[in-house]
């Protein structure tokens, strides 16, 4: 267990997130905290509004019987109400636990049982149905609160109330007990359990990571200056708030900086919303960065010969500057002039199309990303940094920075963070951000935190400059029948750099050679097929088209050239069904579950051997 005790992090006199939140509400007042789009118009919400709604939500729960330490689960897409509930719960002394909107009713039941959820928040009728389906198996459940009552006005269920009713209860409670709210906030302590974040469950049932106020406050203080957040910055919130990265960027880091959070209307409107907001800071998982690159590739396929030539020249000038940045050298005046011209004529339009024309920080994390993809963004003139961390260390542990940058690595250790490599090659972390442990799983906690060191499960090494390179997950390393150790993620990342490949899983453990299952990028491959008059009727027939398999084969052969003979892909098969986060094959953050895919598609894999 983690026997090390670190002093609490104090920010402007506050030692818990509850205290810091309420101090910021008083300090920032009318400053815009967040925006959401309603009926086509972006509407602003001030810090005062934020605080009043959070207080009404928290005291509403108290009036329903919430006790200090009770768990409240939130099942909703990103919206201001998520944040009102989050801080309402924390300030009232409860524990906030996010649930992925893609989770099934049985998964919701598991999470609620494991966390002993007493109050459940559902976004709408669809999410309400999940909890109603399993509530008879949840004897601890006391009340269900619904954000959006569309289609539910006639519902007569004494366990279910609307968020407006909750606000009314909270405001009435505050009128009678005017000192309760601030007294409750003052009782919060650094070592109190603040939030539960359930791991994605790639290797079994999700585990509830217990995160304290102390953990979060350290990361708020440590991470915000590292990213370069400021009060004028604009962010876009679209990744699930159940994920530690989005929770940090949307909920916690703005407590330090006072930046403004903008909520997307939905995942399908991200490209439109990012162009409207033009955020100055943007964090995303590699899947999103790959999508943006694919969108530009798609646009270029329809460009005129002159436009293609202009892009090639401009991006070439960008690559020259990117090489200098990576080498730590100063570009010549001529190279700078060429880039300026290329930027004015071509690259600025691409950045505007992507909605990144104002961005001064782009971050990628939560999964490995191709170094070539980062280099492309650098060539556009965008500062993109790969970072590393996990739920168990509450976000960021290592980071590339403007002044310390190395492509192909996840950067150097963040301030006040120790990074080490075990004799087995596992990356170990130590610092005030190491979590409290797994809920109800002391054995797993004891395996994960040893003498204060967090065992990450990732394999890697640290070079002589302090840069950390992750080679793979320990459980994912492939040992071929010939005894060769292969790290599949490097190969997979190169494959995913192709605009035609959405995801890939390399197979080969205890086998004679490597093979691969490929998930194609539907939009780009459809466009490729249409441009060449390849007949297809649906996604399955698209995957079976000879021209498509030839296309993917050529992409694999291109990647094979960069690897040793033993690391090359000898055969491949296409997954001929469209997968979404609701499917068991994918985690909520859109990563293919290697072990699940290997089992489900065993017969398909066997045809390659």
């Amino acid at each position: 267990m983690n026997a090390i005790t670190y002093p609490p992090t104090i920010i402007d006199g506050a030692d818990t997130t509850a205290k810091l939140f309420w101090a910021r509400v008083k300090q920032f007042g009318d400053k815009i905290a967040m925006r959401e789009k309603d009926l086509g118009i972006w509407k602003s919400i001030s810090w005062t509004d934020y605080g009043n709604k959070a207080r009404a939500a928290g005291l509403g729960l108290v009036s329903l019987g919430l006790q200090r330490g009770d768990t409240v689960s939130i099942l909703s897409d990103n919206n201001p109400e998520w944040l009102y509930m989050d801080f309402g719960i924390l300030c009232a002394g409860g524990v906030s636990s996010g649930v992925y909107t893609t989770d099934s009713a049985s998964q919701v039941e598991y999470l609620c049982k494991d966390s002993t959820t007493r109050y459940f928040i559902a976004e709408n009728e669809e999410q309400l149905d999940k909890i109603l389906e399993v509530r008879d198996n949840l004897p601890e459940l006391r009340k269900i609160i619904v954000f959006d009552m569309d289609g539910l006005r006639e519902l007569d269920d004494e366990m279910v109330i609307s968020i407006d009713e909750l606000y009314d209860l909270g405001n009435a409670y505050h009128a009678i007990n005017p000192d309760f709210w601030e007294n409750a906030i003052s009782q919060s302590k650094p070592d109190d359990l603040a939030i539960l974040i359930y791991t994605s469950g790639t290797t079994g049932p999700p585990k509830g990571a217990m995160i304290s106020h102390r953990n979060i406050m350290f990361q708020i203080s440590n991470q915000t200056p590292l990213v370069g957040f400021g009060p004028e910055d604009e962010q876009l919130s679209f990744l699930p708030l159940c994920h530690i990265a989005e929770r940090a960027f949307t909920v916690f880091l703005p407590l330090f900086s006072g930046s403004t959070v903008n909520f997307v209307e939905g995942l399908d409107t991200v490209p439109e919303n990012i162009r409207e907001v033009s955020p100055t800071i943007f964090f995303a998982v590699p899947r999103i960065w790959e999508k943006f690159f694919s969108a530009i590739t798609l646009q270029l396929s329809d460009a005129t010969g002159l436009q293609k030539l202009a892009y090639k020249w401009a991006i070439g000038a960008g690559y020259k500057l990117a090489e200098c940045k990576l080498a730590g050298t100063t570009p010549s005046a001529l190279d700078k002039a060429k880039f300026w011209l290329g930027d004015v004529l071509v690259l600025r339009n691409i950045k505007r199309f992507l909605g990144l024309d104002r961005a001064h920080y782009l971050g990628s994390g939560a999964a490995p990303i191709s170094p070539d993809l980062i280099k492309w963004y650098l060539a556009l003139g965008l500062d993109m940094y790969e970072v590393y961390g996990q739920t168990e260390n509450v976000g960021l542990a290592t980071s590339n920075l403007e002044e310390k940058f190395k492509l192909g690595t996840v950067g150097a250790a963040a301030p006040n963070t120790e990074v080490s490599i075990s004799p087995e090659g596992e990356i170990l972390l130590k610092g005030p951000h190491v979590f409290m442990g797994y809920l109800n799983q002391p054995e797993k906690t004891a395996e994960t935190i040893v003498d204060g060191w967090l065992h990450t499960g990732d394999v890697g090494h640290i070079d002589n400059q302090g840069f950390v390179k992750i080679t793979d997950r320990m459980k994912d390393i492939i040992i071929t029948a010939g005894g060769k150790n292969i790290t599949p993620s490097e190969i997979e990342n190169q494959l995913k750099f192709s605009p035609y490949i959405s995801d890939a899983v390399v197979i080969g453990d205890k086998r004679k050679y490597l093979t691969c299952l490929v998930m194609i990028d539907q939009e780009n491959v459809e466009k490729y097929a249409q441009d060449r008059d390849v007949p297809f009727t649906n996604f399955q027939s698209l995957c079976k088209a000879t021209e498509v398999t030839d296309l993917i084969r050529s992409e694999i052969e291109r990647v094979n050239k960069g690897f040793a003979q033993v690391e090359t892909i000898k055969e491949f098969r296409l997954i001929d069904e469209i997968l979404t986060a609701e499917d068991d094959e994918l985690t909520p953050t859109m990563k293919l579950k290697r072990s699940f895919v290997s089992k489900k598609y065993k017969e398909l894999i066997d045809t390659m051997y």
Side-chain angles (χ1 to χ4, degrees), residues 250-426:
T250 292
V251 183
F252 297 126
L253 300 190
L255 292 185
F256 190 102
S257 64
S259 55
T260 301
V261 175
N262 298 272
F263 291 97
V264 298
E265 296 164 88
L267 281 179
D268 55 335
T269 65
V270 170
E272 176 192 335
N273 293 156
I274 192 174
R275 281 192 286 271
E276 291 172 336
V277 172
S278 190
T280 57
I281 286 177
F282 192 71
F283 176 86
V285 295
R287 192 68 167 269
I288 301 297
W289 298 121
E290 290 155 8
K291 282 277 187 191
F292 286 175
F293 173 72
S294 292
I296 297 302
T297 305
L298 202 61
Q299 290 277 322
L300 282 168
S301 67
D302 287 334
T304 65
L306 186 61
Q307 287 170 329
K308 286 177 181 174
L309 202 63
Y311 168 77
K312 187 177 179 182
W313 181 84
I315 200 73
Y319 274 118
K320 272 273 183 76
L321 258 63
E323 293 286 0
C324 290
K325 180 182 177 73
L326 295 170
T329 59
T330 303
S332 68
L334 179 61
D335 285 340
K336 284 181 180 177
K338 283 181 178 177
F339 175 76
W340 177 84
L341 186 60
D343 192 41
V344 169
L345 296 176
V346 181
L347 303 182
R348 199 169 295 173
N349 291 329
I350 292 174
K351 288 181 279 194
R352 203 171 287 124
F353 172 78
L354 293 174
L356 300 174
D357 49 305
R358 292 201 304 148
H360 66 79
Y361 177 93
L362 304 181
S364 180
I369 187 170
S370 165
D372 289 339
L373 192 57
I374 291 180
K375 203 169 179 181
W376 181 76
Y377 282 99
L378 293 175
L380 286 179
L382 294 166
D383 290 327
M384 174 182 263
Y385 305 104
E386 187 173 8
V387 302
Y388 168 68
Q390 51 187 211
T391 302
E392 290 83 352
N393 74 277
V394 197
L396 188 142
T398 71
S399 177
N400 278 292
L401 301 166
E402 172 71 30
E403 64 279 5
K404 194 169 185 183
F405 192 109
K406 194 167 193 178
L407 199 64
T409 76
V410 291
N416 309 301
T417 300
E418 293 181 68
V419 184
S420 182
I421 305 294
S422 77
E424 296 75 32
E426 184 178 12

Side-chain angles (χ1 to χ4, degrees), residues 123 171 193 203 274 412 461:
E123 180 180 6
N171 288 328
L193 172 60
T203 56
I274 192 174
H461 59 262

Side-chain angles (χ1 to χ4, degrees), residues 175-222:
I176 299 167
N177 306 278
D179 298 327
F180 186 94
W181 177 249
E182 296 207 16
N183 285 340
I185 290 170
S186 69
Q187 289 174 43
S188 61
K189 295 182 174 56
D191 290 319
D192 289 346
L193 172 60
I195 64 174
L196 284 171
I197 291 192
Y198 278 85
T199 60
S200 55
T202 51
T203 56
K207 300 185 292 290
M210 298 187 291
I211 295 170
S212 67
H213 286 284
R214 181 195 295 269
N215 295 146
I216 300 167
M217 289 293 284
F218 169 76
Q219 283 290 37
I220 290 172
S221 173
N222 210 49

